[in-house]
Amino acid sequence: MGGETKDKATAQSSIPRYSTGPVGQQIHSIYKSRLGQFTSDGQYKSGNLMGAMYEGRATGKEHVKLSVYSPPDLSRPSFEEATAHEFKETNVGASFGPSWSTHWIRLELCVPSDLQKKEHLELHWDAGNEGLIWTVDGEPIQGLTGGERIEWVIPQSFRDGNFHTIYIEMACNGMFGNPPGGDMIQPPIKNRYFQLHLADIVAVNLEARALNIDFWIIGDAAREFPEDDWHSHEALQIENAIMDQFIAGNGSKEAIVKCREIAQHLVYAVGNCHIDTCWLWPWAETKRKIARSWSNQCDLIDRYPEHRFVASQGQQFKWLEQIYPKLYDRVKSKVKQGTFQFIGGSWVEHDTNMPSGESLVRQFLYGQRFFESHFGERCRTFWLPDTFGYSSQLPQLSRLAGMSRFFTQKLSWNNINNFPHTTFNWVSLDGSQVMCHMAPSNTYTAEAHFGDVKRSITQHKSMDQDPTSLLLFGKGDGGGGPTWEHIEKLRRCRGISDNKGRLPRVKMGDSVEDFFDRLETKVNEGTKLVTWYGELYLELHRGTYTTQANNKWNNRKTEILLHDVEYLATLATLKDCSYKYPKQDIDDMWENVLLCQFHDCLPGSAIEMCYDDSDELYKKVFDTGDKCMKEALKTLGFSRDKASKDVLTAINTTAWPRAELVKLSETITSLSPQYALVRGGPGLASVETMTSSTKNLKSIASVKEVKKGVFLMTNNQYKIEVEGGSITSLIDLSENREIVSKGEKANQLVVFDDKPLYWQAWDVEVYHLNSRKELPAGKTEISEQGPHRVSLVTETKISEESWIKTTISLAASVDDQPSYIEMASEVEWHEKWKFLKVEFPVDIVNTEASYETQYGIIRRPTHYNTTWDMAKFEVCCHKWADLSENGYGVSILNDSKYGFATCGNMMRLSLLRSPKAPDGHADMGRHHIRYAILPHAGPLDSRTVRTAYNFNHPLKIFSSSSPISTNTANLLSCITLGGSKALILDCIKRGEDDEDVSRGELPKRKGRSIIVRIYESLGGRARGTLKCTLGARKVWKCNILEDDQEEMNIEKGQVAVDLRAFEVQTFRLQL
């Protein structure tokens, strides 16, 4: 025991006993820098992967014959028209232009024998511009974009040694139009030419191309993962191993295959193509962008079974159907398969700040009806990735249009505060909510880089509720959509995710609806999403409330025109069965107005060509609306032209009685000026012409010069002192209250220096407020002396080229109607980077101001307590803005403006801007603007809402050869709304699918019906009575798509209505 010995086995080791030589530590910066050599087009190209990318190339006339037809005058002929012309020989190196011109290229391709058995052949075409490939049979098959999407896969049938013909419709613009130099928002140049520098048949080494994507994504992992993360080190080792293997195999095919074995991956995601319906190009070019982009996606769907593509905007689908019927059929077949997915439910991806409530309804009505009639389904997700802020009533209207989900990402553009949520419930003014998701990658045009995938998790702000997210990838804004490279990159990202775990797992093959369905299931199982109440205010692009003033004027006026046309046409169908409701004309008008509300058109951020287009469309709307009005009025027994013995009467198209002094037009009376006292309505109103008599007037209006340059205007409600065109005193006589702040001036014109950081037409920055400059007082003269109305006119010089002539008017007050001080301005505007506003410093104290929005009111801070408050230094309003304290307030009304600001007690209405990009002539020229001051004792209430409505809906005076019959008078007031004055009857129209109205796109309804839309306007529960004297058999409460939902009880022709705060309700009256 102890002391004995044993044989001990010697432990064996695999480590060599002797060193084979020194091994140094990798210097990561050097090895990481080395990676660029492998895929560079630089000095090592012949010995790197780029040099192995192609196995052969054929060029020149022996293999690629080129000829061209160049249409004259920037025309865009159809395939049939173009190919019927003579083509002239052309060649690589030729230049094509000028900007916006079209050139049809005929290509005759002959694949040489040495390439015919190669695995994969492509046509590589690069003229630096956009193009669309057509078959010889006239089928559009693929889009091209210079420098980005330049390849077309040559069919197997072309490999027979014969010449085969295709056509390329060349558009002389890039993806982002024709900007000069590298600044895409500058006005487009007119004389841009594009050189064709590539037209080759190329044999592609697919393994080398695939390895290039492998190397790209793994290299991103090496660069994007933190340097202290082992995943970054491992990716770097893999990249260098690939390079070493390539070198060892001398770049052979076999070596490339072995390189690929080092990197094998798979991934899934959703493709998207955002095509701005107009922006840096006109609508005509958008139509071709749609064909180019969507034909590409059909091709990718065929090549990549996991690819799913989403597209929005009913208008774009309609254009495709009209102009490219063969491609539309191809798209429709993909829709049926579920691989090409329509989304959004609206006519265009529209602005949501400035369209009226009814316009937002029609965006959904026309969008959803198009998708349902063409594809058999409605959309469930509202889709606005690029719009400049989101109205507080969108959740309610979305739900009423059958959509409970909403997608955007634009708030990631905020330039002051970071929006705090990714996935949340967005709550409307009435309490309605939609499930909202904002892509945490902060883009709707992801390039499918490793970083895009990584940011989908690192920037996700709702991880506590749900960690999933949407990644929208694909070329966008100018169209294009996903490329094969995007899909290949995502496949590699999937491999990294599966093997390493640090990258979120990306899934392709599902739809956006699948994503929201999973979220909805999770919520139903108990997950509570955070909430956001009210508007989604974009802290950027605040200048879009003002830029392109004439376009905004047209929008407001056509919205009002359509309201009146539908109202009068509805009544005309009830009076005379032979009168045909002008459904096609109304549809055409609405579609044109909705198109012009696209989020780069109405906001004013497009090039000048777009506003030439919109002016033309608006003219069509006005002309068509005028025709429809005349026909409806004729049926109802009215005329706009007065004969000597005709009786004057008026139609009040608003839903409440009115009593106003109205200035008669020269077509109605030969005496000028002459006023009429109009009383009555809804419907028919009496007209009493007034000359110098003050009979029946509660007061008269008077004006006098009390001292040189100082004028006093009065009626029985106000005493106003005016000096130099500004109001130095405004006293409410019944309240004995001064409204203008002491020592201040209301109706003071001011101009600001307006140079935003970059986006000229879009932005106004907070620092512009530091450059305030009062415009000097001009000479004031009396232009109208009463007794019905008094006016002062002042002309103010803005600069050597610009002036403004402002008329301040005060009418004699009528009955108990609110009286206001009206300003009408004529402006000649030729400024550069200036912002014109008008100020109203009022003796009111409140930390919040109120602004009309669609179907409601939004309250915003008047202070800068926090950065969230300060960010709203310029906001959007509709027909009025109000600042009130307990017992008193002041409203500012307008007839066509949308930009406003209230800072402390200073109220500012924005009038005109003068950006020079992307339209170098934006807002230059003549403008006419109306606005008014409406003081009111007591709180903000129906007086402001209704007066602003009246201010925008002038009473219409007509003539008739005999007094209007009782039947017609009763007809004009056959639908009325009683009860709470907070209730607004905003729309009367015929049912979309009535058998005597329907255009047949959806199943018809028997009989005739009338659609009535009402809303609560002040923010509290309101009850009323909807009265119909037409003998309605049934009344249905319905959604805004006019689906019956709840039958209402009718008692003596009346229906009781009960609305929540700011609720919108629609009723269908079945006659």
Side-chain angles (χ1 to χ4, degrees):
M1 207 169 151
E4 68 267 29
T5 62
K6 278 186 177 181
D7 291 335
K8 296 183 178 179
T10 302
Q12 299 297 314
S13 172
S14 62
I15 299 174
R17 180 171 182 178
Y18 299 104
S19 171
T20 58
V23 177
Q25 183 178 7
Q26 273 192 6
I27 308 302
H28 280 202
S29 59
I30 294 175
Y31 279 81
K32 193 177 289 187
S33 297
R34 178 199 184 202
L35 304 184
Q37 294 181 356
F38 193 50
T39 55
S40 165
D41 282 328
Q43 59 184 335
Y44 299 119
K45 178 177 179 180
S46 61
N48 69 11
L49 182 59
M50 293 298 101
M53 195 68 70
Y54 306 116
E55 299 176 329
R57 184 180 294 268
T59 188
K61 296 179 182 179
E62 293 180 1
H63 307 292
V64 183
K65 292 182 181 179
L66 302 174
S67 54
V68 62
Y69 163 63
S70 298
D73 304 324
L74 305 185
S75 60
R76 295 177 170 90
S78 67
F79 174 87
E80 291 76 13
E81 293 168 338
T83 55
H85 284 79
E86 179 184 355
F87 281 67
K88 297 181 179 179
E89 184 178 343
T90 189
N91 55 271
V92 173
S95 292
F96 300 90
S99 305
W100 310 116
S101 62
T102 297
H103 303 270
W104 282 82
I105 314 294
R106 182 167 59 210
L107 290 85
E108 297 172 77
L109 306 178
C110 178
V111 178
S113 58
D114 61 324
L115 297 185
Q116 289 175 14
K117 296 193 177 181
K118 295 293 184 181
E119 179 186 7
H120 184 81
L121 296 182
E122 293 177 349
L123 168 69
H124 284 195
W125 172 275
D126 195 350
N129 53 19
E130 293 193 291
L132 179 62
I133 300 175
W134 295 74
T135 68
V136 72
D137 297 322
E139 181 178 354
I141 52 176
Q142 186 189 307
L144 298 165
T145 302
E148 292 187 351
R149 200 184 307 255
I150 66 167
E151 66 283 326
W152 173 64
V153 178
I154 295 175
Q156 287 289 331
S157 60
F158 280 33
R159 302 184 183 214
D160 58 5
N162 297 318
F163 278 97
H164 296 266
T165 301
I166 61 170
Y167 291 88
I168 294 179
E169 180 186 11
M170 177 192 289
C172 284
N173 53 266
M175 180 175 284
F176 295 101
N178 286 303
D183 189 347
M184 71 176 181
I185 72 166
Q186 294 305 309
I189 56 177
K190 296 181 179 179
N191 205 33
R192 185 180 180 189
Y193 281 76
F194 296 84
Q195 186 177 41
L196 174 61
H197 54 84
L198 186 63
D200 294 351
I201 297 171
V202 180
V204 180
N205 183 337
L206 291 180
E207 286 290 346
R209 177 179 278 178
L211 178 59
N212 184 45
I213 303 297
D214 296 339
F215 197 82
W216 185 344
I217 295 302
I218 298 170
D220 278 352
R223 288 180 288 269
E224 294 269 354
F225 281 143
E227 285 200 5
D228 59 356
D229 190 315
W230 72 271
H231 292 99
S232 174
H233 291 259
E234 184 181 28
L236 183 59
Q237 298 310 308
I238 293 172
E239 291 278 88
N240 277 277
I242 289 172
M243 292 182 69
D244 293 340
Q245 177 66 57
F246 184 86
I247 293 168
N250 202 29
S252 65
K253 266 196 165 186
E254 294 75 15
I256 291 172
V257 171
K258 288 182 179 179
C259 288
R260 291 220 61 218
E261 290 172 358
I262 302 173
Q264 293 289 327
H265 315 292
L266 182 66
V267 77
Y268 296 93
V270 177
N272 165 62
C273 169
H274 179 66
I275 304 177
D276 283 322
T277 303
C278 70
W279 182 28
L280 304 178
W281 50 86
W283 284 321
E285 196 56 46
T286 303
K287 296 169 185 178
R288 302 202 293 192
K289 283 178 176 286
I290 295 163
R292 291 192 287 261
S293 302
W294 293 3
S295 62
N296 289 339
Q297 299 316 304
C298 289
D299 176 62
L300 281 178
I301 288 168
D302 290 338
R303 292 160 59 189
Y304 292 91
E306 74 267 33
H307 182 42
R308 298 293 180 270
F309 176 72
V310 296
S312 65
Q313 308 190 71
Q315 174 68 86
Q316 294 191 3
F317 282 86
K318 181 174 181 178
W319 279 338
L320 190 75
E321 182 184 26
Q322 291 175 332
I323 304 169
Y324 304 96
K326 291 182 180 179
L327 178 54
Y328 174 79
D329 288 341
R330 189 178 175 197
V331 166
K332 194 168 184 178
S333 70
K334 304 296 184 191
V335 170
K336 190 173 182 179
Q337 293 168 9
T339 50
F340 194 116
Q341 298 159 355
F342 60 90
I343 199 166
S346 57
W347 189 242
V348 295
E349 287 186 15
H350 51 93
D351 177 74
T352 76
N353 290 310
M354 291 168 283
S356 68
E358 191 61 34
S359 285
L360 294 183
V361 167
R362 301 308 174 97
Q363 287 285 355
F364 292 135
L365 181 70
Y366 281 86
Q368 290 285 51
R369 286 178 64 84
F370 181 90
F371 291 126
E372 183 180 8
S373 62
H374 286 71
F375 304 118
E377 293 181 22
R378 295 172 178 172
C379 300
R380 293 192 290 151
T381 297
F382 185 29
W383 181 270
L384 285 182
D386 192 32
T387 296
F388 310 152
Y390 303 93
S391 162
S392 51
Q393 286 286 48
L394 284 177
Q396 178 181 188
L397 298 179
S398 296
R399 294 304 293 257
L400 291 172
M403 293 180 287
S404 59
R405 300 94 176 264
F406 176 58
F407 174 84
T408 186
Q409 64 79 48
K410 197 65 177 182
L411 266 64
S412 67
W413 284 47
N414 280 4
N415 70 345
I416 297 180
N417 299 286
N418 290 323
F419 190 77
H421 309 305
T422 293
T423 303
F424 57 98
N425 281 329
W426 179 24
V427 185
S428 195
L429 291 179
D430 79 316
S432 302
Q433 66 179 7
V434 291
M435 184 185 296
C436 182
H437 179 72
M438 297 188 183
S441 57
N442 291 348
T443 181
Y444 52 89
T445 58
E447 289 286 348
H449 293 318
F450 180 97
D452 292 321
V453 178
K454 180 168 171 273
R455 283 186 289 275
S456 294
I457 198 77
T458 59
Q459 296 180 168
H460 200 301
K461 300 168 185 172
S462 302
M463 298 289 285
D464 292 345
Q465 289 80 40
D466 183 81
T468 63
S469 65
L470 283 173
L471 174 66
L472 302 183
F473 68 96
K475 305 286 184 182
D477 292 332
T483 67
W484 63 267
E485 280 188 338
H486 292 144
I487 301 173
E488 294 285 357
K489 284 189 286 183
L490 288 172
R491 283 181 169 182
R492 275 50 167 204
C493 288
R494 170 65 177 273
I496 292 176
S497 173
D498 287 348
N499 289 292
K500 307 304 173 191
R502 282 295 300 261
L503 196 66
R505 198 167 188 268
V506 184
K507 179 171 174 41
M508 291 184 74
D510 282 357
S511 67
V512 173
E513 302 301 353
D514 292 332
F515 169 80
F516 277 111
D517 284 344
R518 285 192 291 270
L519 270 179
E520 201 167 295
T521 298
K522 195 168 181 180
V523 168
N524 291 336
E525 291 173 351
T527 297
K528 293 188 180 297
L529 300 180
V530 297
T531 53
W532 183 273
Y533 284 78
E535 68 178 331
L536 293 173
Y537 176 85
L538 177 64
E539 296 177 0
L540 200 71
H541 295 358
R542 304 167 184 89
T544 59
Y545 313 142
T546 305
T547 309
Q548 298 287 2
N550 286 333
N551 204 53
K552 292 171 169 60
W553 187 94
N554 284 332
N555 176 72
R556 181 81 62 88
K557 301 309 177 188
T558 51
E559 288 175 335
I560 291 165
L561 173 66
L562 278 158
H563 169 278
D564 291 351
V565 165
E566 289 183 326
Y567 165 72
L568 294 171
T570 297
L571 299 182
T573 63
L574 301 177
K575 181 178 182 182
D576 186 346
C577 291
S578 66
Y579 171 84
K580 177 70 175 173
Y581 189 76
K583 185 65 166 63
Q584 180 161 348
D585 283 339
I586 289 173
D587 285 347
D588 290 344
M589 285 190 287
W590 266 120
E591 287 182 10
N592 286 337
V593 170
L594 299 179
L595 171 58
C596 292
Q597 290 172 351
F598 177 73
H599 70 253
D600 276 309
C601 186
L602 180 55
S605 50
I607 61 173
E608 187 172 8
M609 294 172 72
C610 297
Y611 297 105
D612 294 339
D613 288 347
S614 66
D615 286 348
E616 184 178 336
L617 278 193
Y618 279 126
K619 184 179 185 303
K620 287 181 181 178
V621 174
F622 285 121
D623 290 346
T624 303
D626 187 63
K627 179 196 73 170
C628 292
M629 288 276 281
K630 284 181 179 177
E631 292 169 352
L633 288 167
K634 182 179 179 181
T635 301
L636 292 168
F638 297 90
S639 171
R640 289 177 175 173
D641 302 317
K642 183 182 184 303
S644 58
K645 296 182 181 180
D646 283 357
V647 177
L648 291 182
T649 188
I651 297 178
N652 171 10
T653 60
T654 62
W656 46 82
R658 293 167 67 173
E660 297 174 22
L661 280 169
V662 177
K663 195 170 187 177
L664 299 175
S665 68
E666 292 182 5
T667 58
I668 295 296
T669 177
S670 58
L671 301 176
S672 181
Q674 185 178 15
Y675 287 87
L677 177 60
V678 180
R679 277 198 184 97
L684 196 65
S686 64
V687 177
E688 181 182 351
T689 56
M690 314 290 287
T691 52
S692 60
S693 170
T694 58
K695 178 184 175 184
N696 295 330
L697 291 183
K698 191 173 182 180
S699 73
I700 62 172
S702 65
V703 61
K704 60 182 178 179
E705 189 171 11
V706 292
K707 58 181 177 181
K708 187 170 178 60
V710 180
F711 298 84
L712 186 67
M713 308 173 78
T714 60
N715 66 8
N716 78 325
Q717 292 187 24
Y718 305 121
K719 183 168 72 172
I720 306 161
E721 191 174 282
V722 177
E723 183 175 1
S726 298
I727 298 172
T728 54
S729 175
L730 170 53
I731 296 175
D732 184 330
L733 296 174
S734 62
E735 298 293 314
N736 192 27
R737 175 164 181 155
E738 173 65 65
I739 291 158
V740 179
S741 293
K742 187 175 181 179
E744 301 284 352
K745 295 176 288 185
N747 195 45
Q748 175 62 57
L749 293 164
V750 289
V751 68
F752 298 84
D753 191 69
D754 186 17
K755 298 186 183 78
L757 296 174
Y758 177 66
W759 300 98
Q760 288 191 37
W762 294 258
D763 288 346
V764 57
E765 296 294 354
V766 66
Y767 53 74
H768 87 286
L769 296 170
N770 300 334
S771 63
R772 176 184 178 274
K773 178 184 176 183
E774 290 187 8
L775 293 180
K779 183 181 179 182
T780 300
E781 296 178 341
I782 297 172
S783 60
E784 201 170 358
Q785 293 194 337
H788 310 301
R789 178 181 168 111
V790 294
S791 299
L792 296 170
V793 63
T794 304
E795 187 165 336
T796 302
K797 184 178 180 180
I798 299 172
S799 69
E800 292 301 319
E801 295 81 23
S802 304
W803 51 261
I804 180 168
K805 184 187 293 183
T806 303
T807 302
I808 304 176
S809 299
L810 181 68
S813 56
V814 179
D815 299 342
D816 59 350
Q817 298 294 304
S819 183
Y820 52 77
I821 303 92
E822 179 179 345
M823 275 65 68
S825 296
E826 182 181 8
V827 190
E828 186 68 22
W829 183 246
H830 296 281
E831 296 304 293
K832 186 174 186 179
W833 301 319
K834 298 297 179 185
F835 199 154
L836 180 66
K837 304 186 183 187
V838 61
E839 295 182 338
F840 306 92
V842 294
D843 191 15
I844 302 288
V845 177
N846 201 327
T847 58
E848 287 186 328
S850 300
Y851 304 85
E852 186 188 41
T853 187
Q854 299 96 343
Y855 298 131
I857 299 169
I858 187 160
R859 293 176 175 85
R860 302 183 177 107
T862 62
H863 55 78
Y864 294 164
N865 282 2
T866 70
T867 55
W868 291 91
D869 300 324
M870 186 189 73
K872 295 179 180 178
F873 61 83
E874 181 85 5
V875 298
C876 184
C877 75
H878 279 225
K879 297 185 290 294
W880 57 264
D882 181 87
L883 184 62
S884 293
E885 62 187 23
N886 183 41
Y888 205 86
V890 177
S891 300
I892 305 298
L893 319 181
N894 76 83
D895 79 331
S896 60
K897 296 298 165 185
Y898 296 93
F900 208 95
T902 307
C903 182
N905 69 330
M906 177 64 76
M907 307 177 76
R908 286 194 187 101
L909 177 65
S910 297
L911 301 180
L912 291 170
R913 297 186 69 226
S914 51
K916 298 305 171 189
D919 177 358
H921 303 99
D923 284 320
M924 298 298 98
R926 190 66 57 92
H927 300 269
H928 295 87
I929 307 165
R930 288 175 62 239
Y931 53 94
I933 308 171
L934 176 66
H936 56 86
L940 169 65
D941 59 20
S942 61
R943 290 169 295 172
T944 290
V945 175
R946 292 188 174 192
T947 304
Y949 210 98
N950 296 348
F951 191 74
N952 280 267
H953 289 73
L955 288 163
K956 294 173 173 57
I957 297 179
F958 305 103
S959 62
S960 60
S961 56
S962 60
I964 298 300
S965 69
T966 301
N967 287 341
T968 299
N970 290 338
L971 179 64
L972 289 169
S973 58
C974 63
I975 299 173
T976 55
L977 180 64
S980 171
K981 289 188 176 181
L983 295 177
I984 303 294
L985 197 166
D986 196 47
C987 172
I988 296 176
K989 62 182 284 291
R990 289 296 306 275
E992 291 290 314
D993 296 314
D994 288 358
E995 58 187 350
D996 65 328
V997 169
S998 169
R999 296 172 64 192
E1001 63 268 42
L1002 289 170
K1004 296 181 180 180
R1005 270 195 181 112
K1006 288 187 176 181
R1008 298 189 296 172
S1009 64
I1010 297 175
I1011 301 297
V1012 175
R1013 195 154 12 258
I1014 63 178
Y1015 71 96
E1016 195 285 320
S1017 64
L1018 295 174
R1021 183 169 290 278
R1023 295 180 176 88
T1025 303
L1026 183 62
K1027 183 179 180 181
C1028 175
T1029 61
L1030 300 171
R1033 293 189 296 109
K1034 290 184 177 181
V1035 175
W1036 294 87
K1037 186 177 179 180
C1038 56
N1039 59 22
I1040 61 175
L1041 304 181
E1042 302 181 14
D1043 301 323
D1044 293 341
Q1045 294 184 327
E1046 175 189 352
E1047 186 172 358
M1048 306 296 290
N1049 185 41
I1050 308 174
E1051 291 187 6
K1052 298 180 180 179
Q1054 299 185 16
V1055 174
V1057 297
D1058 187 348
L1059 281 74
R1060 298 189 312 276
F1062 299 128
E1063 184 182 6
V1064 180
Q1065 290 189 3
T1066 305
F1067 298 92
R1068 189 175 72 86
L1069 284 57
Q1070 184 71 52
L1071 303 182

